Amino acid sequence: MSLSAVKPTNTVTKIDEIQSVNTSSLDKIQVTGAQQLNGIIPISGAKNCALKLMCAALLTGETVKFQNSPNTLRDMQSQTELLEYLGCTVSREKDLMAINAGGIKDYTAPYDIVRKMRGSILVLGPLLTRFGEARVSLPGGCAIGTRPVDMHIKALEELGAKINLEGGYINAKAPKGGLQGAKIMFPKVSVGATENLMMAATLANGETILSNAAREPEITDLGECLIKMGAKITGLGTDTIRITGVKNLNSAIHSVIPDRIETGTYMVAAAMTGGNIRLENARLEHLTAAAGHLARAGVQVEQEGNDIIVNRDIDKPLKAIDIMTEPHPGFPTDLQAQFMAMLTIANGASLVTETIFENRFMHVPELNRMGANITVQGNSAIVRGVNGLKGAEVMATDLRASVALVLAGLVADGETTINRIYHLERGYEDIIGKLSRCGAKIKKI
Ligand code: EPZ
């Protein structure tokens, strides 16, 4: 069945301006380097939070509204496509999103949509707990690793779901009377599994205790929205989250937290270019590990009201630092590529260790094409600082690797052309506008 054939008629999406941003399909970006960045960058709502909040709206037949939603992102559009396919009404205007899941007609998340964005696996828990069944395509691997969903499946089985995998789909059914609260110990910290189970448990019978739960700020924000909808949840931000199931959830209005990875990316831009940037509506408390590393590298970072100010003295070279990615509150894997770009021009050798994903060094050969000196050994990379990078034609491979190449281009001598830049549209709202207004020479070609 084609997607268009089942497109619901109750859709009132107001997305004209949004589509005009993306239909041009950014092919390449050209950055002319050696510009200092100075100015103000407004931070958007967090992609990795908004995508899950959209799934939370499936838990009620009433309308749920989100403010500060990064609606122009391609991933948000894919998630909208999925919710509309299921029968939701989704309306988006500027940074406001409203979702009504009162008319769900289908419990299937098809391969065609799930393959575009792994975040769609997060419809599994909400559909299963509210409707008693769900069919979600297995998301498969992606550029950064194999990314299994075994922990999501096993934990839902512990809530009593009967699950079989057939034809590339997860077919899940809840027992008669609904999912049953349980004690779940995740063998490994997983953001997605924690979120899926937290949502599933909101409408289960009795209490669910999630141990070794992820503590990312996006999970706390999702939990706070669920609480506004009527869920009973305690322990957010700790590794033990307790959820007591309720019969129904209701409407709510929730504001999405600022995107900490977008924030961290622009912090690195200021650090690399020796600039002074004010990041509007950003929270340093969500970036403690990254800010600590920047301080050790010689970058000044401070919170001022709702903004973060980042400043580096151009006359003082960046210092080499060692980084190891870890679950929150450790250093985030989603900032590893950006920090590696920064360390290519630091004074000395840095060791960057990736512990979350097995294949998240695809930016290394591209940075080396620009004159960086990086050697990968297993899950570590030795980055020996060089005096300067040189512009080159490079290839973006995933969202964060792409933005790392943009950052490298900002300081490289001459022009850097980045191909396959559509990855950037998935996670960075108006990156060209935001950087240009601070003095970067960056354009689509
Ligand atoms: C989320 O992915 C983010 N995506 C990722 O951001 C982020 O890198 C990641 O968390 C870690 O912080 C979204 O929020 C949409 P995980 P998620 O489950 O939830 C393994 C970006 O650039 N694992 O915490 O999929 C897994 O393979 C993206 O914005 C299992 O083994 O990540 C990984 O090694 C990329 N079995 C580790 O756990 C499972 O069932 C952590 O993954 C689930 C995960």
Tab-separated table of all heavy atoms in Angstrom, residues 129 153-161 175 178-186 194 197-198 200-213 240-245:
chain	number	residue	atom	x	y	z
A	129	THR	N	0.779	0.525	24.168
A	129	THR	CA	0.125	0.692	25.475
A	129	THR	C	-1.275	1.280	25.328
A	129	THR	O	-2.181	0.946	26.076
A	129	THR	CB	1.013	1.527	26.430
A	129	THR	OG1	0.574	1.321	27.760
A	129	THR	CG2	1.027	3.011	26.110
A	153	ILE	N	12.629	-4.186	22.738
A	153	ILE	CA	11.741	-5.344	22.574
A	153	ILE	C	11.685	-6.168	23.855
A	153	ILE	O	10.605	-6.508	24.352
A	153	ILE	CB	12.232	-6.204	21.376
A	153	ILE	CG1	12.056	-5.398	20.080
A	153	ILE	CG2	11.496	-7.531	21.309
A	153	ILE	CD1	12.680	-6.022	18.863
A	154	LYS	N	12.854	-6.455	24.408
A	154	LYS	CA	12.899	-7.314	25.603
A	154	LYS	C	12.158	-6.649	26.771
A	154	LYS	O	11.398	-7.294	27.503
A	154	LYS	CB	14.363	-7.592	25.959
A	154	LYS	CG	14.495	-8.567	27.088
A	154	LYS	CD	15.842	-9.255	27.120
A	154	LYS	CE	15.866	-10.217	28.296
A	154	LYS	NZ	15.698	-9.536	29.596
A	155	ALA	N	12.363	-5.353	26.920
A	155	ALA	CA	11.725	-4.665	28.046
A	155	ALA	C	10.200	-4.621	27.869
A	155	ALA	O	9.450	-4.779	28.841
A	155	ALA	CB	12.293	-3.253	28.175
A	156	LEU	N	9.738	-4.440	26.632
A	156	LEU	CA	8.278	-4.450	26.413
A	156	LEU	C	7.715	-5.846	26.697
A	156	LEU	O	6.609	-5.988	27.222
A	156	LEU	CB	7.946	-4.013	24.981
A	156	LEU	CG	8.125	-2.507	24.712
A	156	LEU	CD1	8.009	-2.200	23.227
A	156	LEU	CD2	7.116	-1.664	25.513
A	157	GLU	N	8.498	-6.878	26.389
A	157	GLU	CA	8.066	-8.249	26.725
A	157	GLU	C	7.941	-8.407	28.240
A	157	GLU	O	7.048	-9.082	28.736
A	157	GLU	CB	9.047	-9.276	26.158
A	157	GLU	CG	8.877	-9.454	24.654
A	157	GLU	CD	9.922	-10.366	24.009
A	157	GLU	OE1	11.009	-10.570	24.602
A	157	GLU	OE2	9.665	-10.838	22.906
A	158	GLU	N	8.832	-7.737	28.964
A	158	GLU	CA	8.752	-7.815	30.431
A	158	GLU	C	7.482	-7.137	30.955
A	158	GLU	O	7.021	-7.423	32.045
A	158	GLU	CB	10.011	-7.210	31.067
A	158	GLU	CG	11.224	-8.115	30.866
A	158	GLU	CD	12.503	-7.531	31.440
A	158	GLU	OE1	12.496	-7.144	32.618
A	158	GLU	OE2	13.498	-7.442	30.688
A	159	LEU	N	6.914	-6.214	30.144
A	159	LEU	CA	5.623	-5.610	30.529
A	159	LEU	C	4.460	-6.488	30.053
A	159	LEU	O	3.299	-6.081	30.130
A	159	LEU	CB	5.472	-4.215	29.913
A	159	LEU	CG	6.416	-3.100	30.367
A	159	LEU	CD1	5.956	-1.757	29.804
A	159	LEU	CD2	6.528	-3.003	31.872
A	160	GLY	N	4.774	-7.662	29.524
A	160	GLY	CA	3.724	-8.622	29.156
A	160	GLY	C	3.404	-8.673	27.677
A	160	GLY	O	2.536	-9.446	27.259
A	161	ALA	N	4.089	-7.851	26.856
A	161	ALA	CA	3.778	-7.848	25.413
A	161	ALA	C	4.243	-9.150	24.766
A	161	ALA	O	5.242	-9.737	25.173
A	161	ALA	CB	4.478	-6.663	24.751
A	175	PRO	N	-1.177	-7.954	26.450
A	175	PRO	CA	-2.127	-8.953	26.949
A	175	PRO	C	-3.507	-8.323	27.133
A	175	PRO	O	-3.630	-7.087	27.188
A	175	PRO	CB	-1.534	-9.366	28.296
A	175	PRO	CG	-0.576	-8.303	28.669
A	175	PRO	CD	-0.155	-7.599	27.424
A	178	GLY	N	-4.290	-5.012	29.043
A	178	GLY	CA	-3.202	-4.037	28.898
A	178	GLY	C	-1.860	-4.498	29.440
A	178	GLY	O	-1.741	-5.551	30.071
A	179	LEU	N	-0.855	-3.672	29.184
A	179	LEU	CA	0.500	-3.972	29.664
A	179	LEU	C	0.508	-3.960	31.187
A	179	LEU	O	-0.292	-3.262	31.823
A	179	LEU	CB	1.494	-2.935	29.121
A	179	LEU	CG	1.716	-2.912	27.604
A	179	LEU	CD1	2.621	-1.746	27.210
A	179	LEU	CD2	2.314	-4.235	27.119
A	180	GLN	N	1.434	-4.722	31.741
A	180	GLN	CA	1.520	-4.873	33.198
A	180	GLN	C	2.842	-4.280	33.690
A	180	GLN	O	3.896	-4.634	33.156
A	180	GLN	CB	1.470	-6.383	33.494
A	180	GLN	CG	1.119	-6.752	34.910
A	180	GLN	CD	-0.250	-6.219	35.336
A	180	GLN	OE1	-1.224	-6.313	34.599
A	180	GLN	NE2	-0.309	-5.620	36.523
A	181	GLY	N	2.775	-3.397	34.673
A	181	GLY	CA	3.997	-2.803	35.226
A	181	GLY	C	4.995	-3.874	35.654
A	181	GLY	O	4.602	-4.968	36.048
A	182	ALA	N	6.290	-3.569	35.559
A	182	ALA	CA	7.320	-4.559	35.916
A	182	ALA	C	8.601	-3.832	36.300
A	182	ALA	O	8.743	-2.631	36.067
A	182	ALA	CB	7.577	-5.472	34.721
A	183	LYS	N	9.522	-4.602	36.895
A	183	LYS	CA	10.851	-4.046	37.195
A	183	LYS	C	11.759	-4.378	36.029
A	183	LYS	O	11.949	-5.559	35.707
A	183	LYS	CB	11.405	-4.695	38.466
A	183	LYS	CG	10.710	-4.198	39.707
A	183	LYS	CD	11.385	-4.740	40.938
A	183	LYS	CE	10.648	-4.217	42.152
A	183	LYS	NZ	10.846	-4.956	43.354
A	184	ILE	N	12.305	-3.365	35.412
A	184	ILE	CA	13.151	-3.585	34.235
A	184	ILE	C	14.551	-3.069	34.511
A	184	ILE	O	14.719	-1.917	34.922
A	184	ILE	CB	12.551	-2.872	33.001
A	184	ILE	CG1	11.248	-3.578	32.611
A	184	ILE	CG2	13.519	-2.865	31.833
A	184	ILE	CD1	10.358	-2.787	31.721
A	185	MET	N	15.516	-3.941	34.299
A	185	MET	CA	16.919	-3.522	34.452
A	185	MET	C	17.548	-3.535	33.059
A	185	MET	O	17.714	-4.593	32.463
A	185	MET	CB	17.622	-4.514	35.391
A	185	MET	CG	19.113	-4.462	35.344
A	185	MET	SD	19.777	-2.900	35.925
A	185	MET	CE	20.172	-3.316	37.585
A	186	PHE	N	17.835	-2.361	32.520
A	186	PHE	CA	18.453	-2.316	31.192
A	186	PHE	C	19.906	-2.787	31.302
A	186	PHE	O	20.649	-2.298	32.164
A	186	PHE	CB	18.433	-0.894	30.627
A	186	PHE	CG	17.055	-0.394	30.281
A	186	PHE	CD1	16.484	0.664	30.991
A	186	PHE	CD2	16.325	-0.970	29.263
A	186	PHE	CE1	15.221	1.137	30.689
A	186	PHE	CE2	15.047	-0.502	28.941
A	186	PHE	CZ	14.499	0.542	29.661
A	194	THR	N	14.873	3.690	27.105
A	194	THR	CA	14.322	4.339	28.314
A	194	THR	C	13.053	5.112	27.939
A	194	THR	O	12.024	5.023	28.619
A	194	THR	CB	15.368	5.307	28.932
A	194	THR	OG1	16.550	4.561	29.227
A	194	THR	CG2	14.838	5.972	30.197
A	197	LEU	N	10.053	2.776	26.910
A	197	LEU	CA	9.467	2.089	28.066
A	197	LEU	C	8.769	3.058	29.006
A	197	LEU	O	7.724	2.739	29.577
A	197	LEU	CB	10.564	1.292	28.787
A	197	LEU	CG	10.675	-0.153	28.305
A	197	LEU	CD1	9.428	-0.947	28.716
A	197	LEU	CD2	10.810	-0.281	26.779
A	198	MET	N	9.343	4.250	29.152
A	198	MET	CA	8.695	5.241	30.023
A	198	MET	C	7.312	5.571	29.468
A	198	MET	O	6.324	5.624	30.212
A	198	MET	CB	9.564	6.505	30.094
A	198	MET	CG	9.080	7.539	31.079
A	198	MET	SD	10.362	8.751	31.446
A	198	MET	CE	10.343	9.751	29.976
A	200	ALA	N	5.476	3.664	27.394
A	200	ALA	CA	4.611	2.474	27.473
A	200	ALA	C	4.073	2.307	28.892
A	200	ALA	O	2.904	1.946	29.088
A	200	ALA	CB	5.393	1.231	27.051
A	201	ALA	N	4.900	2.591	29.887
A	201	ALA	CA	4.510	2.345	31.275
A	201	ALA	C	3.464	3.343	31.783
A	201	ALA	O	2.766	3.069	32.758
A	201	ALA	CB	5.748	2.397	32.175
A	202	THR	N	3.324	4.501	31.104
A	202	THR	CA	2.381	5.508	31.617
A	202	THR	C	0.947	4.992	31.643
A	202	THR	O	0.162	5.388	32.495
A	202	THR	CB	2.397	6.807	30.769
A	202	THR	OG1	2.117	6.467	29.411
A	202	THR	CG2	3.706	7.551	30.876
A	203	LEU	N	0.610	4.088	30.696
A	203	LEU	CA	-0.773	3.576	30.649
A	203	LEU	C	-0.832	2.095	31.027
A	203	LEU	O	-1.853	1.438	30.818
A	203	LEU	CB	-1.369	3.777	29.250
A	203	LEU	CG	-1.559	5.227	28.766
A	203	LEU	CD1	-2.103	5.254	27.334
A	203	LEU	CD2	-2.492	6.011	29.682
A	204	ALA	N	0.269	1.547	31.580
A	204	ALA	CA	0.268	0.129	32.000
A	204	ALA	C	-0.411	0.005	33.364
A	204	ALA	O	-0.619	0.997	34.064
A	204	ALA	CB	1.704	-0.380	32.051
A	205	ASN	N	-0.728	-1.219	33.739
A	205	ASN	CA	-1.322	-1.433	35.069
A	205	ASN	C	-0.216	-1.481	36.115
A	205	ASN	O	0.755	-2.215	35.956
A	205	ASN	CB	-2.060	-2.778	35.098
A	205	ASN	CG	-3.177	-2.808	34.074
A	205	ASN	OD1	-4.075	-1.970	34.120
A	205	ASN	ND2	-3.109	-3.743	33.146
A	206	GLY	N	-0.365	-0.705	37.161
A	206	GLY	CA	0.590	-0.775	38.273
A	206	GLY	C	1.887	-0.043	38.008
A	206	GLY	O	1.987	0.788	37.106
A	207	GLU	N	2.899	-0.400	38.826
A	207	GLU	CA	4.155	0.356	38.802
A	207	GLU	C	5.220	-0.308	37.932
A	207	GLU	O	5.384	-1.526	37.942
A	207	GLU	CB	4.691	0.495	40.238
A	207	GLU	CG	5.876	1.444	40.303
A	207	GLU	CD	6.481	1.563	41.692
A	207	GLU	OE1	6.765	0.520	42.316
A	207	GLU	OE2	6.693	2.698	42.148
A	208	THR	N	5.949	0.531	37.201
A	208	THR	CA	7.122	0.066	36.438
A	208	THR	C	8.340	0.787	36.994
A	208	THR	O	8.293	2.000	37.238
A	208	THR	CB	6.963	0.401	34.931
A	208	THR	OG1	5.803	-0.275	34.447
A	208	THR	CG2	8.176	-0.024	34.128
A	209	ILE	N	9.403	0.027	37.216
A	209	ILE	CA	10.650	0.653	37.663
A	209	ILE	C	11.712	0.391	36.599
A	209	ILE	O	12.003	-0.766	36.268
A	209	ILE	CB	11.108	0.089	39.028
A	209	ILE	CG1	10.004	0.286	40.059
A	209	ILE	CG2	12.404	0.767	39.487
A	209	ILE	CD1	10.292	-0.329	41.415
A	210	LEU	N	12.237	1.477	36.036
A	210	LEU	CA	13.298	1.354	35.029
A	210	LEU	C	14.641	1.595	35.708
A	210	LEU	O	14.892	2.698	36.202
A	210	LEU	CB	13.102	2.385	33.910
A	210	LEU	CG	11.739	2.391	33.187
A	210	LEU	CD1	11.686	3.512	32.140
A	210	LEU	CD2	11.478	1.030	32.533
A	211	SER	N	15.480	0.553	35.771
A	211	SER	CA	16.808	0.716	36.377
A	211	SER	C	17.869	0.759	35.289
A	211	SER	O	17.689	0.170	34.222
A	211	SER	CB	17.112	-0.445	37.321
A	211	SER	OG	16.125	-0.518	38.306
A	212	ASN	N	18.985	1.431	35.609
A	212	ASN	CA	20.026	1.719	34.618
A	212	ASN	C	19.419	2.517	33.458
A	212	ASN	O	19.762	2.324	32.286
A	212	ASN	CB	20.700	0.438	34.107
A	212	ASN	CG	22.066	0.732	33.493
A	212	ASN	OD1	22.706	1.740	33.805
A	212	ASN	ND2	22.501	-0.132	32.593
A	213	ALA	N	18.479	3.401	33.814
A	213	ALA	CA	17.823	4.255	32.816
A	213	ALA	C	18.785	5.350	32.364
A	213	ALA	O	19.703	5.727	33.096
A	213	ALA	CB	16.578	4.896	33.428
A	240	THR	N	17.126	5.635	37.985
A	240	THR	CA	15.964	4.808	38.350
A	240	THR	C	14.698	5.641	38.180
A	240	THR	O	14.478	6.609	38.918
A	240	THR	CB	16.087	4.324	39.816
A	240	THR	OG1	17.368	3.704	39.974
A	240	THR	CG2	14.991	3.321	40.153
A	241	ILE	N	13.909	5.277	37.202
A	241	ILE	CA	12.673	6.031	36.930
A	241	ILE	C	11.493	5.135	37.300
A	241	ILE	O	11.441	3.964	36.902
A	241	ILE	CB	12.607	6.444	35.437
A	241	ILE	CG1	13.821	7.311	35.077
A	241	ILE	CG2	11.308	7.194	35.140
A	241	ILE	CD1	13.891	7.740	33.615
A	242	ARG	N	10.580	5.692	38.105
A	242	ARG	CA	9.385	4.932	38.518
A	242	ARG	C	8.159	5.534	37.862
A	242	ARG	O	7.947	6.749	37.934
A	242	ARG	CB	9.202	5.018	40.042
A	242	ARG	CG	10.258	4.256	40.793
A	242	ARG	CD	10.208	4.594	42.278
A	242	ARG	NE	11.367	4.018	42.932
A	242	ARG	CZ	11.365	2.846	43.536
A	242	ARG	NH1	10.260	2.143	43.631
A	242	ARG	NH2	12.467	2.369	44.075
A	243	ILE	N	7.363	4.679	37.265
A	243	ILE	CA	6.143	5.141	36.587
A	243	ILE	C	4.970	4.333	37.134
A	243	ILE	O	5.011	3.104	37.139
A	243	ILE	CB	6.225	4.910	35.057
A	243	ILE	CG1	7.513	5.532	34.491
A	243	ILE	CG2	5.008	5.484	34.330
A	243	ILE	CD1	8.521	4.558	34.006
A	244	THR	N	3.951	5.042	37.603
A	244	THR	CA	2.730	4.342	38.023
A	244	THR	C	1.682	4.585	36.948
A	244	THR	O	1.368	5.736	36.627
A	244	THR	CB	2.235	4.879	39.380
A	244	THR	OG1	3.325	4.788	40.305
A	244	THR	CG2	1.061	4.065	39.910
A	245	GLY	N	1.185	3.508	36.383
A	245	GLY	CA	0.256	3.635	35.249
A	245	GLY	C	-1.040	4.333	35.646
A	245	GLY	O	-1.510	4.219	36.773
